[in-house]
Amino acid sequence: MSLQVTRHDFDQWMMPVYAPAAFVPVRAEGSTVWDQNGKDYIDFAGGIAVNALGHAHPALQQALQEQAGRLWHTGNGYTNEPILRLAKQLIDATFADRVFFCNSGAEANEAALKLARKVAHDRFGPQKSGIVAFTNAFHGRTLFTVSAGGQPAYSKDFAPLPPEIQHAAFNDLAAAAALINHQTCAVIVEPVQGEGGVLPADPAFLHGLRDLCDQHQALLIFDEVQSGVGRTGSLYAYMHYGVTPDVLTSAKALGGGFPIGAMLTREDLALVMGVGTHGTTYGGNPLAGAVAGKVMELVNQPEMMEG
């Protein structure tokens, strides 16, 4: 017989980095969640912008179950069919030529920042390592991404933080221009700030960042972990703005509830990262590839975007 657990057990057994709700969900379908006592709730959070197609979507269930019957995991010594198909879906739908798969948005942003530093190091030298980010942004919880996030409440207790990361006010192009120079390797920005308040960038702000990055040979990274996969009415928010980034990160809704992250970029940048320069044990696994491929198939349709 399985162990009977309650919400109280969280407080006894788990590291207290969360304050979960007073009930424990045990089943969900569509936008409805049921707790241990059979009480139902409407899920307005969607797993923090993750469950793009709701809970237990039948097509996602089928994709997962079929793949689980074939191949679960291989490690990065091999590739697999579902992840290759997903890569082609993303390439065909965006500006990108190459994709790196991981497990979360934080990992995707970590990879993007590492790519920017590697490109600058190889092409210009180690002195070109500065990163410009924005206040009230959120890019993840790794030490590198929490430092870029611009919310001291999340980073102050973990000093010393990675150096050479500066923050300007979001939507303030003059403030950004004052920080971006020839020592800058990357500018990372959310086209729509998520945790910062669901604040869209002004078109002139993103166009200005694009110009500044071109002028100073820095990479423009769009963090679309929260804004991507149809949440703005386009597959990715950059498509609304007419501004193409050098690197784009995606996660959350990409897996429809299954953990996956992706970093998308151009061919010339991707080739800087040779064998062994970066990696992940679980990233790009067949289960994630199968589910995310079905999400892309369902979401990237005109009728879905119109909704």
Side-chain angles (χ1 to χ4, degrees):
M1 190 173 87
S2 61
L3 177 67
Q4 297 298 307
V5 294
T6 69
R7 168 62 180 81
H8 175 72
D9 294 322
F10 177 94
D11 299 326
Q12 305 301 311
W13 301 338
M14 304 292 282
M15 190 174 289
V17 295
Y18 306 119
F23 65 93
V24 178
V26 296
R27 183 172 67 88
E29 182 178 343
S31 60
T32 305
V33 176
W34 288 267
D35 69 12
Q36 292 171 306
N37 298 315
K39 182 178 179 180
D40 62 294
Y41 305 81
I42 297 175
D43 179 6
F44 287 103
I48 315 180
V50 166
N51 299 323
L53 298 172
H55 294 276
H57 190 288
L60 302 191
Q61 287 189 67
Q62 183 179 359
L64 180 60
Q65 290 167 359
E66 289 180 357
Q67 188 58 45
R70 296 190 183 112
L71 182 69
W72 283 37
H73 176 74
T74 60
N76 54 31
Y78 306 86
T79 189
N80 63 81
E81 292 180 341
I83 210 67
L84 292 173
R85 294 189 186 106
L86 175 61
K88 188 63 164 64
Q89 285 175 284
L90 289 166
I91 289 167
D92 287 348
T94 68
F95 71 94
D97 306 306
R98 299 273 185 153
V99 186
F100 171 79
F101 289 108
C102 48
N103 308 286
S104 68
E107 290 175 65
N109 285 326
E110 184 90 7
L113 294 170
K114 286 180 69 174
L115 172 66
R117 285 246 170 112
K118 184 74 162 60
V119 168
H121 181 277
D122 289 5
R123 294 182 179 177
F124 304 102
Q127 76 285 348
K128 189 175 176 66
S129 58
I131 294 167
V132 173
F134 297 92
T135 54
N136 296 319
F138 186 85
H139 299 300
R141 295 281 195 165
T142 68
L143 197 58
F144 203 173
T145 58
V146 82
S147 301
Q151 297 191 54
Y154 291 158
S155 61
K156 62 183 177 62
D157 294 334
F158 305 105
L161 302 174
E164 299 181 58
I165 300 175
Q166 296 176 290
H167 295 88
F170 185 67
N171 268 335
D172 187 337
L173 185 59
L179 299 179
I180 300 169
N181 55 47
H182 287 303
Q183 308 304 312
T184 303
C185 72
V187 175
I188 183 169
V189 63
E190 298 163 275
V192 181
Q193 279 198 338
E195 187 165 316
V198 193
L199 302 174
D202 296 330
F205 176 64
L206 293 186
H207 280 274
L209 292 181
R210 178 72 275 175
D211 292 342
L212 286 165
C213 286
D214 291 342
Q215 179 183 340
H216 295 288
Q217 296 179 295
L219 300 190
L220 180 60
I221 301 169
F222 276 10
D223 176 346
E224 293 231 37
V225 169
Q226 190 162 154
S227 61
V229 194
R231 287 181 60 81
T232 64
S234 290
L235 186 64
Y236 288 99
Y238 82 86
M239 297 169 175
H240 288 295
Y241 286 97
V243 178
T244 302
D246 302 297
V247 184
L248 181 145
T249 57
S250 185
K252 287 191 180 289
L254 180 60
F258 198 96
I260 189 171
M263 177 187 72
L264 287 64
T265 191
R266 300 195 314 268
E267 176 90 1
D268 63 304
L269 302 176
L271 295 183
V272 170
M273 301 294 279
V275 174
T277 54
H278 194 53
T280 162
T281 297
Y282 293 104
N285 71 80
L287 295 175
V291 176
K294 182 58 68 172
V295 170
M296 280 287 293
E297 180 184 319
L298 295 173
V299 170
N300 194 25
Q301 300 290 337
E303 58 270 25
M304 173 69 80
M305 295 301 172
E306 288 169 8

